Amino acid sequence: MENFTGKAAYQGIAIGKIAEMVKADGAIRREHIDDIASELERLHAAKEQALSELKALYQKALKDVGEAHAEIFEVHQMMLDDDDYNESIEEIIKEQKVNAEYAVATTGDNFADMFASMEDEYMRGRAADVKDISSRLVADLMGGGADANNFTEPIILVADDLAPSETVQLDKDMVLAFVTRAGSTNSHTAILARTMNIPALVQVDIPKDVDGKLAIVDGMKGKVIIDPDEDTLAKYQVLQEKEEEKRRLLDEMKGKETVTKSGRHVHLYGNIGGVGDVGYVLENDGEGVGLFRSEFLYLSDTDYPSEEKQFQAYKQVAELLAGKQLIIRTLDIGADKQIDYFKLDKEENPALGFRAIRICLTREEVFMTQLRALLRASAYGNIAIMFPMIISKWEVETCLKMLNQAKAELDAHDVPYKKDISVGIMIETPAAVLIADELAELVDFFSIGTNDLTQYTCAIDRQNQHLERFFDAHHPAVLKAIQMTIDAGHRHNTWVGICGELGADPELTEVFVKMGIDELSMSPTSILRTRKIIRDMD
Ligand code: PEP
Ligand code: MG
């Protein structure tokens, strides 16, 4: 028995035989040609064939995994049509008098290297896409077409890396899990695996000679166990059955409305920390994203993310959600979320200190950069903006003034954005609860951050595990604050949701619905369970 670990791209347990992915022979010879015109003709014919394959793949993906994920094959069509890419191939053929296969492979490598060296994570991810389209073009030039991996029994697929087109072409009923030696949890392939509901691990240091061996993929722990002993196998079989039973029951909730028996509808959204989490929301049939913690973009960087970098990230999430609601919370750092390059002073009481909106309203250029990025991305989806840690009316008014200023800057350059973009605030301080009537007049929605609201209402540090005895997640003061917020919001036509952890607490779902909550946003894996509770309510 041998263990190998990597990063989990999607949870779940799979038990089965390993099949190493068969890829086309990559040997491409450089051949001298004399007839440049007919080589170019051959290239154009192969390109047409590749384009029609991509169109067919788009249709297949549309059917299997939905529009948001199918879009990658439209992107591939656009990349294949890109002027720079095509000019590079044609120039190599003409200037070096070489075969089209060699020119395509060289261009593919050059473009992939260029993308891979870019700072922007999204652009780096495009390296795999340009390699993918180049391999397709080469395969079509060689008359081979796409790889055939036709399995006769369900297998655990092991590969060095998987391109999105390879992933989607696989017969998903025949794949128990994906394990790749390279790859990132943010790649389209990882997103596709989540959407297809297939456990996936990336960056696993698994040897090459594993084809045909029995293995267990533990997507919870990011582990592959090869040749498991009997005890381990039995333990995982039980675990797998339990997982499957749970999923079976909850799967029945997919596609159903979140509505009580008496007809009250509640929106169920997912909380995400980055683009890699969108798949979880879609997989669990979330109606959208109720909290995108944008600070994770800043936390995963070594310097302030540029407006362009943020724009690309927000746009990508918006496009993956394909028109579903996407509420992006502006930067919420300080307290437990420290970032070196912000160079924040050490504080006596960080939870009560320089954090969240207080930083944004002080370091205005950091805030304006984010606001412009958010507005620009709003042209690509149903984005709403939410401000955290509000305690006063003037803070909201200043945020709105700065948002208007950002809009004016974009207008001056004719940059499109959603003119009627919704704006909301987090209600996570007792001060905000007590003046909720006044705040409600300023915004379109409230989202109650119960994690901080509990901390500040009960004066209990949410980070301190020694206070457990005093901590009551269902403290009546917190529940009363939630009711007050809902009532105040509704008096002013402002819808009210919960995006703190309490929103997913099954013991409180009924209580919140009875209080009149309009939306609950939670970790995506809790969505279907909550839907079931609401649908079972009278
Ligand atoms: C909250 O405070 O409840 C919340 C959702 O925000 P965070 O947990 O990111 O502080
Ligand atoms: Mg909070």
Side-chain angles (χ1 to χ4, degrees):
M1 185 163 95
E2 278 183 296
N3 278 309
F4 301 94
T5 48
K7 283 191 181 168
Y10 185 56
Q11 56 196 337
I13 291 166
I15 303 172
K17 275 197 188 150
I18 289 178
E20 180 84 35
M21 176 101 172
V22 181
K23 302 234 180 190
D25 178 5
I28 293 157
R29 280 198 304 275
R30 184 181 198 275
E31 286 168 14
H32 175 81
I33 48 118
D34 288 317
D35 189 350
I36 291 174
S38 70
E39 200 60 17
L40 289 176
E41 228 169 79
R42 218 163 66 76
L43 171 71
H44 295 151
K47 192 179 137 189
E48 285 313 309
Q49 189 183 333
L51 282 171
S52 74
E53 285 167 6
L54 285 167
K55 278 183 195 138
L57 266 180
Y58 173 79
Q59 292 301 335
K60 181 178 185 318
L62 199 62
K63 193 160 66 66
D64 289 352
V65 290
E67 190 178 355
H69 299 294
E71 270 175 9
I72 186 64
F73 301 110
E74 284 197 321
V75 173
H76 280 196
Q77 288 173 54
M78 269 153 42
M79 287 172 107
L80 202 52
D81 254 338
D82 179 75
D83 286 346
D84 290 340
Y85 179 76
N86 284 294
E87 273 163 24
S88 164
I89 298 171
E90 292 188 11
E91 255 167 45
I92 293 174
I93 295 176
K94 286 183 207 157
E95 282 172 17
Q96 301 183 29
K97 292 195 163 179
V98 287
N99 53 327
E101 288 87 339
Y102 177 80
V104 171
T106 307
T107 299
D109 286 348
N110 291 345
F111 274 61
D113 286 349
M114 182 184 74
F115 281 125
S117 67
M118 287 183 176
E119 243 191 44
D120 188 305
E121 198 187 327
Y122 176 79
M123 295 309 284
R124 276 205 306 274
R126 302 287 67 76
D129 295 314
V130 80
K131 273 195 181 159
D132 196 9
I133 58 160
S134 303
S135 307
R136 173 173 303 284
L137 204 46
V138 168
D140 288 331
L141 278 162
M142 290 174 153
D147 297 339
N149 276 285
N150 296 321
F151 307 110
T152 50
E153 59 174 334
I155 47 86
I156 291 170
L157 191 75
V158 173
D160 286 340
D161 205 352
L162 276 169
S165 61
E166 290 169 330
T167 318
V168 83
Q169 279 178 84
L170 292 163
D171 180 353
K172 63 180 174 172
D173 293 333
M174 288 295 169
V175 181
L176 301 167
F178 293 114
V179 178
T180 61
R181 298 181 180 91
S184 90
T185 51
N186 280 338
S187 66
H188 280 290
T189 298
I191 294 171
L192 285 167
R194 287 179 201 134
T195 315
M196 291 170 167
N197 204 5
I198 292 172
L201 304 185
V202 296
Q203 296 169 32
V204 185
D205 201 10
I206 193 169
K208 285 278 184 189
D209 58 348
V210 290
D211 193 70
K213 293 192 175 177
L214 181 67
I216 297 170
V217 174
D218 180 342
M220 262 65 104
K221 298 204 174 111
K223 209 161 66 167
V224 183
I225 305 164
I226 296 182
D227 290 332
D229 59 33
E230 272 181 26
D231 283 355
T232 310
L233 195 58
K235 189 183 106 190
Y236 272 99
Q237 276 162 342
V238 173
L239 261 176
Q240 193 182 32
E241 271 163 32
K242 279 192 190 156
E243 285 292 310
E244 273 169 14
E245 179 58 21
K246 263 199 258 171
R247 185 168 288 167
R248 242 194 323 274
L249 284 172
L250 290 179
D251 268 356
E252 289 170 16
M253 289 294 121
K254 284 189 189 169
K256 296 205 167 136
E257 263 195 300
T258 310
V259 65
T260 63
K261 285 187 182 140
S262 58
R264 230 180 73 65
H265 189 269
V266 178
H267 294 285
L268 283 192
Y269 294 154
N271 292 348
I272 64 168
V275 62
D277 296 335
V278 180
Y280 292 109
V281 178
L282 298 173
E283 150 74 13
N284 288 286
D285 199 27
E287 287 172 60
V289 166
L291 170 65
F292 177 0
R293 290 179 161 98
S294 70
E295 57 273 13
F296 284 99
L297 277 181
Y298 295 73
L299 282 159
S300 60
D301 227 321
T302 49
D303 204 348
Y304 295 97
S306 65
E307 179 183 319
E308 182 62 24
K309 188 170 186 174
Q310 290 188 57
F311 161 66
Q312 290 293 349
Y314 305 143
K315 172 175 175 267
Q316 201 188 352
V317 175
E319 287 179 338
L320 285 169
L321 285 167
K324 292 184 174 188
Q325 176 80 81
L326 167 58
I327 300 175
I328 306 181
R329 173 175 77 184
T330 58
L331 182 65
D332 182 4
I333 57 156
D336 54 317
K337 294 177 217 144
Q338 290 293 332
I339 302 180
D340 284 349
Y341 59 82
F342 271 79
K343 297 193 170 62
L344 301 176
D345 288 339
K346 258 205 142 13
E347 295 176 283
E348 286 289 314
N349 284 307
L352 306 180
F354 193 47
R355 59 168 296 196
I357 207 68
R358 299 170 189 177
I359 295 176
C360 290
L361 294 180
T362 309
R363 301 195 180 173
E364 290 185 6
E365 205 30 57
V366 173
F367 197 30
M368 287 300 292
T369 302
Q370 183 172 35
L371 293 176
R372 281 191 300 266
L374 288 168
L375 284 172
R376 283 172 58 196
S378 72
Y380 299 86
N382 189 10
I383 289 180
I385 298 176
M386 177 159 79
F387 303 117
M389 272 296 287
I390 295 296
I391 60 166
S392 300
K393 232 178 123 180
W394 74 264
E395 292 169 337
V396 184
E397 284 162 350
T398 312
C399 288
L400 295 173
K401 207 166 105 195
M402 290 174 78
L403 187 64
N404 282 337
Q405 194 184 320
K407 285 182 181 177
E409 286 174 24
L410 297 188
D411 285 337
H413 293 93
D414 280 334
V415 180
Y417 62 90
K418 194 168 184 271
K419 303 274 175 195
D420 59 345
I421 190 162
S422 276
V423 177
I425 56 170
M426 299 222 19
I427 300 288
E428 49 186 347
T429 64
V433 174
L434 294 171
I435 59 164
D437 273 295
E438 289 165 68
L439 296 174
E441 285 177 359
L442 301 175
V443 293
D444 302 303
F445 64 91
F446 285 159
S447 189
I448 305 174
T450 50
N451 309 336
D452 278 315
L453 185 60
T454 307
Q455 152 161 281
Y456 297 125
T457 302
C458 299
I460 195 158
D461 182 354
R462 67 191 258 193
Q463 302 286 101
N464 189 336
Q465 69 212 44
H466 304 298
L467 297 176
E468 234 164 59
R469 193 179 144 216
F470 301 94
F471 183 83
D472 176 6
H474 298 187
H475 196 290
V478 176
L479 297 179
K480 193 166 175 186
I482 293 171
Q483 182 72 75
M484 286 166 70
T485 306
I486 295 171
D487 293 344
H490 289 176
R491 276 194 288 275
H492 302 272
N493 274 333
T494 299
W495 66 261
V496 185
I498 295 177
C499 63
E501 293 304 301
L502 216 54
D505 187 330
E507 288 175 37
L508 290 176
T509 310
E510 258 194 83
V511 175
F512 294 144
V513 175
K514 285 183 180 150
M515 282 181 175
I517 204 77
D518 301 296
E519 173 246 27
L520 294 169
S521 189
M522 56 194 62
S523 91
T525 42
S526 300
I527 290 174
L528 294 173
R529 182 188 65 192
T530 310
R531 177 171 295 158
K532 179 155 176 35
I533 299 173
I534 293 175
R535 285 179 62 88
D536 287 345
M537 269 183 77
D538 281 329

